[in-house]
Amino acid sequence: LAMLALGPSRGLCRESLAEALWPGADPISSRRALATELWRLKASLEAGMLSEWLIAGAGRIGLSDPARASTDAVAFEAAVAVARSATVPEARRRSVMQAEAAYAGEFMAGDGDEWCLGRRAYYAALLTDLNLLGLRCARETGDWTEVVRRGHALATAEPLLEEAQQDVMRAHLALGNKAAALSTYRSFERNLRAELDLAPSEETRRLRLLALPSRFRARSAER
């Protein structure tokens, strides 16, 4: 059902659907298994008085447009697209909040099927982009506490995302919390060294200098 809901409006061909659900299986066996699952799906939809959702032809299988449009994943993707396209700061802030309200959690949580993994990564990337947009909105309005909150959420999901780390450092500096800015830098530097054997960028190092006590700043800059 999820594959059909997220598939193209013209539906999916039976062969590709069977291969996606039972990768590497004998074609005849996978087609039989697909027929069984479609029978079960049709019975479930009929029980819910939704039999008109399923469109099954000789070669392709799909869901009707109302069915596809009603999924939370599609609604979230559309809301993120609106947030990305917003150019006015206030409109962008509202669209980010609406997209966050549309997010219903990890895609197909607990499902280890191969076809789910790519989709799960895709929606996780959309969520990261949305958090970056929210971070930008908070930065534009000078809401540094919100910048710290969003930055930490991003750092948990993407610990090597330097843009978010920089914004957290800027927010701590704006709030007068230099110790927290230094702690953010050290944690990021340690992770970057461990994972990629790289040093933070020049801008991140500049923010570190701003967080140092003045008596250390000149010596550190020279070194």
Side-chain angles (χ1 to χ4, degrees):
L1 179 63
M3 288 187 71
L4 296 176
L6 300 176
S9 58
R10 66 182 185 278
L12 297 168
C13 71
R14 289 176 179 265
E15 288 77 10
S16 63
L17 189 57
E19 174 61 26
L21 288 171
W22 298 278
D26 174 70
I28 296 178
S29 298
S30 61
R31 284 291 294 268
R32 287 174 179 167
L34 177 62
T36 300
E37 293 304 321
L38 284 174
W39 178 82
R40 290 175 175 165
L41 176 58
K42 184 178 180 181
S44 297
L45 292 174
E46 287 176 348
M49 301 181 68
L50 297 170
S51 58
E52 72 279 3
W53 275 20
L54 186 63
I55 302 173
R60 306 187 75 86
I61 305 165
L63 292 186
S64 64
D65 287 339
R68 295 173 65 255
S70 68
T71 61
D72 53 5
V74 171
F76 174 65
E77 186 174 4
V80 172
V82 171
R84 283 171 168 170
S85 63
T87 56
V88 179
E90 180 57 26
R92 183 163 54 240
R93 186 188 68 81
R94 287 197 304 269
S95 61
V96 166
M97 293 177 62
Q98 290 168 355
E100 287 177 332
Y103 182 70
E106 183 183 57
F107 177 73
M108 301 288 285
D111 196 317
D113 285 352
E114 185 176 336
W115 78 270
C116 287
L117 302 181
R119 281 283 182 174
R120 189 171 296 153
Y122 169 69
Y123 288 114
L126 284 186
L127 183 62
T128 297
D129 285 352
L130 184 63
N131 277 321
L132 282 171
L133 283 172
L135 196 67
R136 185 194 306 173
C137 292
R139 188 174 64 231
E140 289 171 344
T141 59
D143 188 349
W144 300 116
T145 302
E146 178 67 3
V147 170
V148 171
R149 185 187 72 80
R150 287 189 176 274
H152 282 312
L154 276 168
T156 300
E158 300 285 346
L160 302 183
L161 188 60
E162 193 161 14
E163 179 184 351
Q165 302 285 354
Q166 290 173 352
D167 278 334
V168 170
M169 292 180 69
R170 292 189 187 99
H172 282 313
L173 290 171
L175 293 169
N177 196 345
K178 293 184 176 182
L182 278 176
S183 177
T184 299
Y185 176 86
R186 289 168 184 150
S187 177
F188 175 65
E189 181 186 38
R190 184 167 57 250
N191 288 334
L192 197 60
R193 289 285 188 191
E195 295 293 330
L196 302 177
D197 195 25
L198 294 174
S201 69
E202 182 178 348
E203 173 62 15
T204 306
R205 296 197 301 272
R206 185 189 70 82
L207 291 170
R208 170 186 171 273
L209 289 178
L210 294 177
L212 288 172
S214 56
R215 65 182 182 276
F216 298 128
R217 203 172 299 161
R219 278 186 293 170
S220 296
E222 181 180 351
R223 185 165 65 250

